[in-house]
Amino acid sequence: MERFTETVIQIIKRIPAGKVMSYGQIAKAAGSPRGARQVVRILHAMSRKHSLPWHRVINSKGEIGIQDEELFFTQKTLLEGEGVKIKGRNRIDLEKYRYQSIEDE
DNA sequence: GGCTTGACGGGTA
DNA sequence: TTACCCGCCAAGC
């Protein structure tokens, strides 16, 4: 891989609809097992300038860890629109919807 | 060049 | 099961 940032972007872009990945999972797949926080930063930056399926990225607990009400609602709506059922306020079945990327093993 | 910030993760209490 | 703490690392000031 060239750069961690670009690799992360590529990984996010190839997550299929109806599937999700956790920040840590993506970071690991990109080569930095402890780079979850970098993934967060990338999401912030990319979601504003590029069209990235950032809504398919959640935390390791299978929840949407967003604070912003508007973005939270947006992500939840987009996921449900792709077939991802959300239980309660923000509970997602990682066992069913987690996308196992090729790099992530 | 140094300090602060994060939409996090995993372990411990 | 929830709450808290510490570790990680890149980007912005």
Side-chain angles (χ1 to χ4, degrees), chain A residues 4 22-28 32-42:
Chain A
F4 175 74
S22 70
Y23 300 95
Q25 199 186 343
I26 292 172
K28 192 176 79 172
S32 292
R34 308 323 181 243
R37 314 200 63 108
Q38 285 65 269
V39 175
V40 170
R41 285 195 141 291
I42 294 169

Side-chain angles (χ1 to χ4, degrees), chain A residues 55-66:
Chain A
H55 55 276
R56 295 182 191 146
V57 185
I58 60 181
N59 63 26
S60 67
K61 294 184 295 295
E63 306 171 336
I64 299 172
I66 230 173

Side-chain angles (χ1 to χ4, degrees), chain A residues 14-94:
Chain A
R14 73 185 193 190
I15 299 175
K19 291 290 181 178
V20 298
M21 279 184 86
S22 70
Y23 300 95
Q25 199 186 343
I26 292 172
K28 192 176 79 172
S32 292
R34 308 323 181 243
R37 314 200 63 108
Q38 285 65 269
V39 175
V40 170
R41 285 195 141 291
I42 294 169
L43 250 46
H44 271 261
M46 297 305 109
S47 63
R48 294 201 308 176
K49 302 178 181 181
H50 306 282
S51 298
L52 219 57
W54 59 272
H55 55 276
R56 295 182 191 146
V57 185
I58 60 181
N59 63 26
S60 67
K61 294 184 295 295
E63 306 171 336
I64 299 172
I66 230 173
Q67 281 76 40
D68 187 279
E69 293 294 319
E70 200 171 296
L71 288 178
F72 179 91
F73 183 73
T74 299
Q75 177 163 20
K76 181 181 175 183
T77 302
L78 287 171
L79 286 175
E80 294 186 310
E82 296 182 344
V84 178
K85 306 300 181 185
I86 298 176
K87 301 175 182 176
R89 188 162 180 288
N90 61 175
R91 262 297 179 58
I92 296 172
D93 285 288
L94 272 182

